[in-house]
Amino acid sequence: VQTVHVNLKDRSYDVFVAKGLISQTGELIKSIHLNGKVAIISDSNVVAHHSISLIQSLEKVGIPYSIHVVTAGEASKSLVIADQLCSELAAENHDRSSFIIALGGGVVGDLAGFVASIFYRGIPFVQIPTTIVSLVDSSVGGKTSVNIAEGKNLVGAFHQPKIVIADPEMLKSLKDREYFAGFAEVIKHAAIRDPKMLNDIAKLDPQTRIVPSELIARNIAIKARIVEEDEHETLGVRALLNFGHTIGHGIEASLPYGEILHGEAISFGIRAALFLSEKYFSLPQSDSDKIINLLRKFNLPLQLSPSIKKEMILEKLSRDKKFSSGQIRFVLINKAGSGHVSSSITQENLIQAIEHLRTPI
Ligand SMILES: NC(=O)c1ccc[n+]([C@@H]2O[C@H](COP(=O)([O-])OP(=O)(O)OC[C@H]3O[C@@H](n4cnc5c(N)ncnc54)[C@H](O)[C@@H]3O)[C@@H](O)[C@H]2O)c1
Ligand SMILES: [Zn+2]
């Protein structure tokens, strides 16, 4: 079992990564002295594939549970569904001595974590991530949230999990497109912090679902170290994780929900950030090419359709939280594995980068 310790004083916890680990959930939970009843929150796709092994494991150690299933998809990350879940939990007689297990991708993790942060003013929760995005990114760091009409993730709380149980076997049931899109975040981690990981990603066979636990643990460690430095995103360090996310979010928000996956939008965003890094931050072209080739390897889109207008992208992007009082905090890299937050990127530069995305590659 690979272990990553997330060191946040009294909010510290361990992330365990190993194949088949879900079947040891009961023992792992006992080992951290979570004793009450548990409410399992999952979605309609995940529950069909993975709830049985989880439930068997809880039954083996005698942990009582209730199970709450939301409709798969981003639309479930809402205050209405959070409200509904709180009522369901109360109806099942959960109280401050209960805890929650989030079994699913980033949608379930963010939603269930948010419910855990407000139910009885906060109860403990456990993350069991089931997508690449949630394994390497969203299950660690304690950001929980729901969406409102005005934007994604605008309502939420910092609430760290008590333990993260990461089982790469979960990925076997994921659809190809979801699986590939998740690699945008893996490539992002390597690009900002770990040049050697770029070579390891290059060695993976995208047609198999084999992702070594060691590679997942290294990704989690990158996120964990950044979160430890800047838990509440007040120092600008955590902003490093936004590499590829400025223009990427602008593109994602310009399209109707569901048309493009988050990771696909981030692929465009990474190409744009590499272009600006080459032009204004002395990134060698060979480093940039190496990263682009990895995006290509996972079938991620790189050339932006003219139907997605730059005015729209800029408009969406200007509402982004990453604009601190009008200034863009843009993440650039000066070499593979070395990310920096810069405030020197202008609106003009963003337009150049968007135009660059129209060019064939
Ligand atoms: N909290 C954070 O720090 C953070 C970081 C990154 C992303 N996020 C959030 O995460 C969300 C995206 O997460 P995601 O990409 O995991 O999407 P998701 O949770 O919607 O999962 C993608 C799809 O795959 C299905 N699925 C999940 N696991 C499966 C499995 N093992 N087998 C079969 N199907 C499975 C889901 O039902 C869904 O249809 C967004 O809402 C985003 O805002 C949060
Ligand atoms: Zn992302």
Side-chain angles (χ1 to χ4, degrees), residues 10-81:
D10 57 337
R11 295 174 306 289
S12 298
Y13 52 98
D14 284 318
V15 182
F16 296 108
V17 193
K19 276 189 184 171
L21 201 61
I22 194 169
S23 63
Q24 289 172 47
T25 302
E27 287 97 330
L28 286 168
I29 285 173
K30 287 275 177 190
S31 76
I32 57 163
H33 310 293
L34 275 179
N35 290 313
K37 260 176 73 163
V38 59
I40 301 166
I41 299 179
S42 191
D43 78 26
S44 43
N45 291 332
V46 177
V47 80
H49 294 287
H50 303 294
S51 58
I52 293 179
S53 39
L54 171 61
I55 286 167
Q56 282 174 346
S57 165
L58 297 174
E59 283 176 345
K60 203 162 72 187
V61 297
I63 298 176
Y65 62 88
S66 62
I67 185 152
H68 309 268
V69 181
V70 302
T71 308
E74 188 71 28
S76 285
K77 252 176 73 172
S78 73
L79 285 167
V80 172
I81 301 292

Side-chain angles (χ1 to χ4, degrees), residues 207-228:
Q207 298 316 318
T208 69
R209 290 298 172 86
I210 300 167
V211 188
S213 296
E214 189 267 340
L215 183 64
I216 291 173
R218 250 158 81 202
N219 272 274
I220 294 169
I222 289 173
K223 171 112 188 220
R225 296 297 86 83
I226 291 175
V227 168
E228 284 168 351

Side-chain angles (χ1 to χ4, degrees), residues 136-210:
V136 304
D137 190 349
S138 62
S139 65
V140 171
K143 277 193 187 175
T144 76
S145 61
V146 294
N147 307 322
I148 55 174
E150 285 68 21
K152 269 191 72 173
N153 299 329
L154 295 187
V155 174
F158 284 101
H159 192 54
Q160 300 291 345
K162 291 290 176 208
I163 184 172
V164 180
I165 299 170
D167 181 352
E169 292 280 317
M170 301 282 107
L171 300 170
K172 295 239 158 88
S173 52
L174 210 54
K175 294 213 171 80
D176 276 342
R177 196 174 161 199
E178 299 285 352
Y179 180 73
F180 290 152
F183 275 91
E185 307 285 2
V186 178
I187 294 166
K188 172 193 83 176
H189 281 149
I192 57 168
R193 278 277 164 113
D194 190 344
K196 283 201 218 87
M197 203 202 305
L198 292 171
N199 303 331
D200 297 332
I201 303 168
K203 284 183 208 137
L204 295 178
D205 176 357
Q207 298 316 318
T208 69
R209 290 298 172 86
I210 300 167

Side-chain angles (χ1 to χ4, degrees), residues 265-333:
I266 298 316
S267 176
F268 288 121
I270 292 177
R271 184 183 175 200
L274 290 172
F275 167 78
L276 293 174
S277 297
E278 273 186 62
K279 210 165 154 79
Y280 301 109
F281 214 52
S282 340
L283 174 69
Q285 199 197 330
S286 55
D287 285 20
S288 175
D289 288 348
K290 202 167 173 181
I291 296 166
I292 294 279
N293 283 335
L294 292 180
L295 294 168
R296 210 186 261 129
K297 179 181 168 96
F298 288 93
N299 265 338
L300 289 164
L302 293 162
Q303 192 182 346
L304 190 66
S305 147
S307 64
I308 310 172
K309 299 279 177 257
K310 69 168 183 294
E311 293 75 17
M312 175 74 112
I313 300 172
L314 290 170
E315 207 257 324
K316 296 287 182 189
L317 171 163
S318 67
R319 296 196 205 171
D320 205 294
K321 288 173 290 184
K322 288 182 280 297
F323 267 83
S324 59
S325 52
Q327 239 191 9
I328 316 161
R329 287 190 299 167
F330 198 93
V331 184
L332 297 170
I333 65 174

